Amino acid sequence: MQVCILGAGIVGLAAAYELTLAGHQVTVVDKASQAGSGTSMGNGAQLSYSYVQPLADPGIWKQLPKLLFSSDSPLKFRLQADPQQWKWGLAFLGACNADRSAASTRTLLQLAAVSRQRFEAMQTQVGGDWDYSSTGKLVLYPSDAAVQSARQQLDVQSQLGSAPQRIVSPDEAVALEPALAAYRSQFAGAVHTPSECAADCYQVCRQLEDWLRQKGVKFIMDTPIQRLRREGGKIVALETAQGDIEAEHFIVALGVDSVALCKPLGVDLPVYPLKGYSITLDVAAAGHKAPTVSITDSARKVVFARIGQRLRVAGMVELVGHDLRIPQDKIRSLCASTEAVFPGCSDYVNVQPWAGLRPATPTAVPIAMSAGASNLWINTGHGALGFTLAFGTAAQLAYDIGQTA
């Protein structure tokens, strides 16, 4: 079958990979000039297959005053005259309960398990070099109460078949990652997941694109997407600035831009952008001062992932609409967090700032389904787990499309 994929980020490319393996003819369309140059480019680099706690958590209610009114909160709501933001925010708060969080965790873990299997199969197939590591992850918690909450999340995940994880003391965390020594007094405990991984998502996209081209996938880049034309309950063409593109099936994997494209078709996607920032630091000369284990500081809402001789530092969650500006205070904040946690690991001469809009659903569970037409498929809503879950939703959609033959 002929399948047209809208979007050349990691989510769209993963779908192209799975569909190509299944024997379909695939075309990928994107307004960007290079694959992976959008939200996939500077993400947190962590492949978090086993610790997938949704942002919608019962603990959010206690944090609401800070989230709404504090200028230095790492998780910030900026209320706007935007009905989509209010609708999403209310649905998000409605999901902040124990039952919904547990259900979302179950779904995410199942999807992540499939995604891990398919990503590792892709690595073997493509043989790319994208600074992949499997050194595990530590999630740091600032207080005994936070550690206890994490213990409850681990209990939920263990009952759902998650990979082995355990709570460790600050001393045990430092033994696992010596670069945390100077920060030892700033956290009360951590969750250690030995099986977690990291990689450069942008390099995965670039090298996967090369492999897909060799396999006959057609890429139409630098091409603004205008609309999907529907006739008689089916999408008959994708209208672009370069002309119409016809196919038997269409997959929308445009991240937050999926919402506007699908709305004229009567598809109201519960997706809103969660803005995040990152910096990438050269740590080649840092020695033991830079971590090799992936680190998430839950208090600062910042993640640290080693990718080769670089350290990717990503963080913050802002509901501020479709704003991709990079205020200098955000970059200074990430630099300050890095220096606080790993003093002396970089000279911060070249920090490579970046901002991206993570397409999130209120529950954190992505959308991978048919909607709006019998041959239209939605693949978005992965939030902060886009890199982690991309190959899981790709495998699901490839199977579903195959069943229509």
Side-chain angles (χ1 to χ4, degrees):
M1 286 187 288
Q2 296 176 325
V3 184
C4 178
I5 298 173
L6 288 61
I10 189 60
V11 172
L13 293 175
Y17 168 80
E18 293 291 345
L19 288 161
T20 298
L21 286 188
H24 302 295
Q25 298 176 34
V26 178
T27 299
V28 178
V29 187
D30 201 296
K31 65 181 179 182
S33 59
Q34 287 189 329
S37 59
T39 302
S40 299
M41 188 173 193
N43 66 17
Q46 292 185 350
L47 290 160
S48 185
Y49 297 116
S50 300
Y51 197 70
V52 294
Q53 183 173 15
L55 183 62
D57 178 85
I60 286 290
W61 292 102
K62 294 181 181 178
Q63 303 175 44
L64 268 183
K66 182 177 182 180
L67 301 183
L68 290 170
F69 304 114
S70 176
S71 61
D72 62 351
S73 171
L75 201 167
K76 182 174 70 176
F77 289 78
R78 185 191 300 158
L79 296 178
Q80 299 175 323
D82 178 358
Q84 184 74 10
Q85 184 197 50
W86 284 79
K87 184 177 180 180
W88 189 95
L90 289 172
F92 171 78
L93 291 175
C96 292
N97 62 78
D99 289 344
R100 181 67 260 181
S101 181
S104 297
T105 296
R106 181 184 301 106
T107 301
L108 292 172
L109 282 173
Q110 292 170 344
L111 186 58
V114 174
S115 198
R116 179 175 201 141
Q117 181 185 48
R118 298 310 304 155
F119 181 87
E120 291 176 351
M122 182 276 297
Q123 281 190 290
T124 301
Q125 185 83 245
V126 176
D129 177 17
W130 35 70
D131 290 322
Y132 176 83
S133 64
S134 55
T135 53
K137 182 170 74 171
L138 286 163
V139 182
L140 313 182
Y141 291 94
S143 66
D144 291 337
V147 171
Q148 181 56 34
S149 178
R151 191 184 304 277
Q152 293 171 358
Q153 178 69 13
L154 254 60
D155 289 342
V156 170
Q157 294 190 173
S158 65
Q159 294 169 15
L160 300 173
S162 176
Q165 300 170 293
R166 66 187 181 101
I167 300 288
V168 298
S169 68
D171 287 338
E172 289 174 309
V174 172
L176 290 164
E177 178 46 79
L180 284 169
Y183 199 60
R184 185 235 171 274
S185 63
Q186 301 302 305
F187 62 97
V191 170
H192 180 224
T193 310
S195 60
E196 300 290 55
C197 313
D200 186 333
C201 184
Y202 177 63
Q203 288 303 321
V204 173
C205 289
R206 301 296 296 123
Q207 293 171 49
L208 185 53
E209 178 193 358
D210 291 342
W211 185 88
L212 289 167
R213 285 181 182 273
Q214 292 171 17
K215 296 298 179 180
V217 174
K218 183 178 181 180
F219 281 81
I220 303 176
M221 307 299 289
D222 282 314
T223 302
I225 292 168
Q226 296 173 339
R227 77 181 184 104
L228 289 159
R229 188 164 73 244
R230 182 176 57 192
E231 295 178 6
K234 292 185 68 174
I235 303 299
V236 296
L238 169 66
E239 297 181 5
T240 77
Q242 307 300 325
D244 291 358
I245 299 170
E246 297 181 350
E248 294 171 90
H249 292 271
F250 296 83
I251 297 177
V252 179
L254 292 170
V256 295
D257 291 337
S258 303
V259 177
L261 185 70
C262 292
K263 193 166 186 177
L265 300 171
V267 181
D268 187 12
L269 296 177
V271 171
Y272 197 79
L274 301 185
K275 186 178 183 181
Y277 305 87
S278 79
I279 56 176
T280 306
L281 306 170
D282 181 356
V283 294
H288 67 278
K289 295 179 180 179
T292 56
V293 174
S294 289
I295 305 294
T296 296
D297 189 326
S298 65
R300 296 175 182 271
K301 293 289 188 295
V302 174
V303 303
F304 304 88
R306 186 69 172 264
I307 43 178
Q309 298 303 310
R310 298 165 295 150
L311 184 66
R312 174 67 51 75
V313 184
M316 306 177 200
V317 179
E318 298 182 346
L319 277 84
V320 294
H322 294 253
D323 179 5
L324 274 171
R325 291 175 297 175
I326 307 177
Q328 283 304 302
D329 65 311
K330 305 301 181 184
I331 303 308
R332 286 194 294 269
S333 175
L334 288 176
C335 290
S337 290
T338 307
E339 188 61 19
V341 181
F342 303 111
C345 75
S346 176
D347 58 13
Y348 304 98
V349 172
N350 179 16
V351 301
Q352 299 179 40
W354 172 90
L357 302 176
R358 313 174 187 105
T361 65
T363 63
V365 176
I367 302 166
M369 59 181 288
S370 177
S374 61
N375 62 339
L376 177 62
W377 305 83
I378 312 301
N379 193 14
T380 188
H382 298 67
L385 294 172
F387 193 15
T388 298
L389 301 178
F391 285 84
T393 55
Q396 179 179 328
L397 287 177
Y399 173 82
D400 290 344
I401 290 173
Q403 293 298 105
T404 67

